Amino acid sequence: QKEVEQDPGPLSVPEGAIVSLNCTYSNSAFQYFMWYRQYSRKGPELLMYTYSSGNKEDGRFTAQVDKSSKYISLFIRDSQPSDSATYLCAMTEGGGYNKLIFGAGTRLAVHP
Amino acid sequence: GAVVSQHPSRVICKSGTSVKIECRSLDFQATTMFWYRQFPKKSLMLMATSNEGSKATYEQGVEKDKFLINHASLTLSTLTVTSAHPEDSSFYICSARVGFHEQFFGPGTRLTVL
């Protein structure tokens, strides 16, 4: 079993839809959770960074962490064609630096 | 936000030659940088952790003599692929750590070994 599971998709939605992207994990020591967006042939771009359980909102993006279920989500409201990219979840333990563990990435296509 | 650059963005080389990739933090100092490798439609694979002024820490299965990492300053880390072979062709991405856990990534370098 992988430490972080993420459905690779692809996920295709119409413009304006609400998108839900998810990751599950097995390591209960993970404390810090991130979502990255990666366009084709580019480096990942940090979208959201959250600590422990709870919600965090930034514009059209909302990140949720449920540590009891070992489940994290990223919601994109009013999706746009420019949101078409691969979304990678990443997480790490607390207590000083630990390397990031990435999910496989979910490919999202938002069509006009 | 923190900006990380990489150079070159694309490189093609002959088998047996060495290639150096630079990773720079442009507007901040990074004591720790990371080097990843990414295959098409796959996630990032951490190769090594680069700490300024000390030897890099390589992940299991990564040949340290083949992938030489130098982090000589707080804004520059380099990855040298020595005696490159076609199987080394890949997308190499660096990142720099900001704070305890956030990482900001460079735009990547596409290496093609003929």
Side-chain angles (χ1 to χ4, degrees):
Chain A
Q1 182 189 8
K2 293 181 182 178
E3 274 193 290
V4 179
E5 297 277 3
Q6 184 177 10
D7 187 338
L11 180 62
S12 182
V13 302
E15 184 175 355
I18 296 174
V19 176
S20 173
L21 304 166
N22 312 291
C23 289
T24 59
Y25 61 94
S26 57
N27 186 349
S28 58
F30 286 143
Q31 299 264 15
Y32 299 86
F33 305 90
M34 282 145 269
W35 284 95
Y36 287 87
R37 176 175 63 195
Q38 186 176 24
Y39 291 112
S40 181
R41 302 174 184 266
K42 301 290 184 184
E45 170 194 7
L46 181 63
L47 279 178
M48 301 289 281
Y49 172 72
T50 54
Y51 167 69
S52 196
S53 286
N55 294 0
K56 185 173 184 179
E57 187 174 321
D58 185 0
R60 295 185 295 112
F61 298 91
T62 300
Q64 287 186 350
V65 175
D66 182 349
K67 289 191 68 181
S68 62
S69 302
K70 298 191 182 68
Y71 187 88
I72 70 170
S73 301
L74 177 71
F75 296 96
I76 307 174
R77 290 183 298 281
D78 188 25
S79 56
Q80 303 294 312
S82 59
D83 295 327
S84 299
T86 296
Y87 290 81
L88 297 142
C89 63
M91 47 200 79
T92 187
E93 298 177 20
Y97 161 67
N98 297 97
K99 64 183 181 183
L100 289 181
I101 307 299
F102 283 89
T106 300
R107 292 174 60 201
L108 171 67
V110 181
H111 52 85
Chain B
V3 180
V4 178
S5 71
Q6 268 184 257
H7 179 79
S9 59
R10 181 175 294 187
V11 57
I12 301 172
C13 69
K14 293 183 179 179
S15 185
T17 61
S18 294
V19 174
K20 179 185 283 188
I21 302 170
E22 293 186 348
C23 177
R24 293 181 185 273
S25 57
L26 296 186
D27 50 359
F28 65 103
Q29 293 183 329
T31 55
T32 304
M33 290 183 171
F34 305 88
W35 287 96
Y36 293 84
R37 184 173 179 176
Q38 188 175 35
F39 293 101
K41 299 183 181 181
K42 298 292 184 183
S43 191
L44 288 81
M45 182 191 80
L46 179 64
M47 299 175 65
T49 302
S50 167
N51 292 298
E52 187 267 338
S54 64
K55 290 184 179 181
T57 302
Y58 290 81
E59 294 299 301
Q60 191 173 10
V62 177
E63 298 178 62
K64 60 181 67 176
D65 293 332
K66 180 165 188 63
F67 299 99
L68 301 179
I69 292 172
N70 184 280
H71 193 159
S73 79
L74 288 171
T75 59
L76 174 64
S77 176
T78 61
L79 168 68
T80 302
V81 183
T82 62
S83 186
H85 288 93
E87 58 265 30
D88 298 324
S89 298
S90 192
F91 193 51
Y92 292 88
I93 312 175
C94 71
S95 71
R97 183 162 62 99
V98 176
F100 281 111
H101 305 106
E102 290 173 272
Q103 290 184 27
F104 288 86
F105 286 82
T109 296
R110 184 159 302 281
L111 170 64
T112 302
V113 184
L114 302 176

